[in-house]
Amino acid sequence: MAEVQTLKSSRESGGKAAAGCLFVLDLSSDRIVTMNPDGSGRKIIVTDCRFPDGIAVDVDAGHIYWTNMGVPNLNDGSIERADLDGQNRRVIVPKGATYTPKQLHLDKKNGKLYWSDREGMRVMRSNLDGSKIETLVETGRGDTDRRDLTRWCVGITIDPKRGQFYWTQKGPDNAGLGRICRANIEIPKGETAANRTDIEVWYDGLPEPIDLELDLESRLMYWTDRGDPPRGNTVNRASVDANPKQEPEIVFTHLMEGIGIALDVPNDRMFMTDFAGSIYSARLDGSEKRMLLYAQGNLTGIAYAELFPKEN
């Protein structure tokens, strides 16, 4: 097993220091790249993906998971898994079992993967081995509905405390029709993914919301928006518990079609990617902004994990 290069130690367990590592998806080159949290030590670990978009890391099991959007009109999306170094790669959700899977969320405690299916107009989940695929939300069906971009599901995360999941429906480019919705993790009895009555539109009228990340400690939801400025090309955040609901706070600006976001809450920092190929970092309040790398291709998903060095 090749060692993932890391730089900055932040925790220790059993005498071994854990070090931060970024996993970044390069859509234009169909590959997965790792690097240190400062952008150094860049290393390609997976190639020949099929338009990768969402990524999740299971450090304890030693796995990464990622979605392949595939070609939308072919309905050939899939989800793959590999070791942290990219070895032992295998398909767990085969082509056609999901249409165009986007952001991916790992629910380690309950052994589930959640993802949004864009042209499939669904929110879905499965077991970690890809078995027991379920549809939790269905916003439309068929080619006519598929042409309505307000039905497209993109971002995904879960809130264990409230027993809910959140997802984004981005809408047409820069249309101001984006929304973030939430619903209970389990479909109400007697209802289906298409007619469930517990769906709440948490925010609407957004430029073009994409990926979601929830800070479970502060109870703040963060999301990227790739729409036009001033509200788009930003990172936003809002309390998931505030009542009445608060106006979202813009904490980061000047992204070039912002896509991926990853939080490192213990170290008070976040990492973002944009479609122009840049990787950024900042504190969770948006201060201390840094561009780590630029012109890296069309970047989509990003994940942060703390890894232990390989034993000799």
Side-chain angles (χ1 to χ4, degrees), residues 157-166 182 202-203 213-223 237-243 246 263 265 284:
T157 194
I158 68 169
D159 178 1
K161 181 178 179 180
R162 293 177 64 108
Q164 294 180 313
F165 61 93
Y166 290 71
R182 61 186 175 190
W202 187 46
Y203 283 102
E213 285 291 320
L214 177 58
D215 178 350
L216 295 172
E217 295 181 11
S218 70
R219 308 290 298 157
L220 291 173
M221 182 73 75
Y222 290 74
W223 68 91
R237 69 179 181 181
S239 168
V240 295
D241 298 326
N243 189 13
Q246 301 171 344
L263 304 183
V265 174
L284 293 175

Side-chain angles (χ1 to χ4, degrees), residues 253-286:
T253 60
H254 294 90
L255 295 171
M256 296 295 289
E257 297 193 64
I259 305 289
I261 183 168
L263 304 183
D264 174 16
V265 174
N267 291 306
D268 185 26
R269 58 185 176 176
M270 58 183 173
F271 302 92
M272 295 75 65
T273 58
D274 66 23
F275 213 57
S278 297
I279 304 172
Y280 306 86
S281 70
R283 295 180 62 126
L284 293 175
D285 64 2

Side-chain angles (χ1 to χ4, degrees), residues 292-306:
L292 304 179
L293 293 172
Y294 65 93
Q296 298 296 302
N298 299 132
L299 303 183
T300 52
I302 186 170
Y304 172 83
E306 293 191 339

